[in-house]
Amino acid sequence: MTTTQLAPSAAGARFRPGLTPAGLVTVLLGAALPIIDFFIVNVALPTIDADLHASTATLELVVAAYGIAYAVLLVVGGRLGDSFGRRRLFFWGLWLFTLTSLACGVAPTAGTLVIARAAQGAASALLLPQVLSIIQATTSGERRSKALGLYGATGGISTVVGQLLGGALVAADLWGTGWRPIFLVNVPIGLVVLVMARRLPESRAHNPLGVDRLGTALLAVTLLSLLVPLMEGRALGWPAWSIALLVVSPFAAAAFVHVERRLERLGGTPLLPPSVMRLPSVRRGLMVAIPFFGAFGSFMFVFAMTLQESLRFGPLGAGGALTPLAVAYFTVSMLSSRLVARYGQKVVAVGGAITAIGMVALLCTTSAAWPHVTILDLAPAMVAIGVGNALAMTTLFRIVLSHVPTELAGVGSGVMTTNQQTSLALGVATLGSLYAALSAPGAMGPRDAFALVIGVVAVLAAIVSVTARRLPDPRD
């Protein structure tokens, strides 16, 4: 066969534009920005509270609004990239993330900040799905393996950077701007990455899946009608609208399930396909992931608030206290694939157990030394929690996707990440609200409220450890 007689698939593979080292750096920077932003916000919450006079319920929305918008629009963002070009959606997602970061940084009120955070989450939902898609479409073989390894490492590095950078920026109080640089720092970085992104190769799916508009709308209604009243209802005295939304939530969820089943029967591809959800690896993995991510989201929120408001660590001290967790997470996540290859799903059970032990150690340490707790006092518990989360989290993703058909790999990844973000927001809404209620004047007080919430998180981690034993083996 001569060069001119190459089959279309072979010719496409030969002349497909590849991802250069500079291009890989570009997409990894794009992936890092939203992750850094999540951890920066946790460290800065008390400072935002002091400046904007936000209630704890509103601070929960500052965290959860991002997660809700991201969860609802993530799969949509991936499918838009398949249809209209992954580089194009990466570019526009990054533009929107940069603009919404600016909006967050100049927000005059807490309500405005919540709206800007929701828009920032929507921008991330357009941006992040394109990263893996670009890597998958423009690399192969060993280059792809290395690129995916660097992508995984980016999450761990971004976690560490988020803790340290967030604490440093808030503590520096640059030009009297307080917490605002945690968002404004995204603007110059985003502009630089936008210039770099112009040289990325373009790619599209040959048969892109359509966007499930009705399913997306119903999922948004389900999440908002559940999470908003859980976060705001108690603080506002449970007004009629909050009760009405809670009543709407199960009906919206039922309608969502019905629409998804009907669309799949008709040959369409739903937002969260029921056939994928019925796979044992996906079904069981998601049932373990819900308490795991819910516990992690609530822990990060409550711990950041307690460190600064009750233990007087300050933003830099809070970032320093969380750094051992982030470093341990990064280190162990780099080793987790080897452990999974040897021990399979047992890695999740061990991770849940280590996390539970770390939470109990944290509870005992803080209760005994309160209010004179130091970073060194917290470090052993933080390391254990970081190790446990790294073992469980990275392995859960692998298990959920292990038996998903190759042609639905993107859908499976979207299902898992949607579950992750929803569970994080649900954890903040429930246990975050519980902490706010119990730590208020006239209630248990911050020490006992913190101990109770951390105790609940420890129980959830233990449940993860027990239920993980029924997970399918990803090596099969």
Side-chain angles (χ1 to χ4, degrees), residues 19-92:
L19 188 64
T20 65
L24 179 60
V25 170
T26 301
V27 294
L28 292 181
L29 282 173
L33 282 173
I35 301 172
I36 291 172
D37 203 68
F38 172 80
F39 287 97
I40 281 181
V41 168
N42 275 286
V43 173
L45 287 172
T47 310
I48 295 172
D49 180 19
D51 183 34
L52 299 182
H53 309 291
S55 64
T56 302
T58 304
L59 292 177
E60 292 171 10
L61 278 175
V62 170
V63 176
Y66 177 95
I68 295 169
Y70 181 73
V72 170
L73 297 174
L74 173 73
V75 177
V76 174
R79 293 185 186 179
L80 289 174
D82 290 343
S83 298
F84 298 105
R86 289 141 186 162
R87 183 188 67 180
R88 178 179 295 179
L89 264 292
F90 180 90
F91 191 85
W92 284 109

Side-chain angles (χ1 to χ4, degrees), residues 38-49 54-66 113-114 117 163 230-232 234-235 292-311 318 322 325 359 362 382 385 389 423-439 446 449-450 453-454 457:
F38 172 80
F39 287 97
I40 281 181
V41 168
N42 275 286
V43 173
L45 287 172
T47 310
I48 295 172
D49 180 19
S55 64
T56 302
T58 304
L59 292 177
E60 292 171 10
L61 278 175
V62 170
V63 176
Y66 177 95
L113 179 59
V114 170
R117 281 285 287 167
Q163 307 296 350
L230 286 178
M231 286 184 278
E232 295 291 320
R234 182 199 60 82
F292 175 79
F293 288 116
F296 183 72
S298 59
F299 163 73
M300 292 300 295
F301 178 83
V302 170
F303 190 57
M305 295 293 292
T306 302
L307 285 178
Q308 296 187 64
E309 290 196 333
S310 301
L311 298 178
L322 284 164
L325 183 157
M359 291 297 173
L362 176 63
M382 291 294 98
I385 294 168
N389 275 275
S423 300
L424 288 170
L426 185 61
V428 173
T430 52
L431 293 182
S433 296
L434 177 65
Y435 172 78
L438 297 179
S439 62
F450 179 73
V453 170
I454 295 302
V457 171

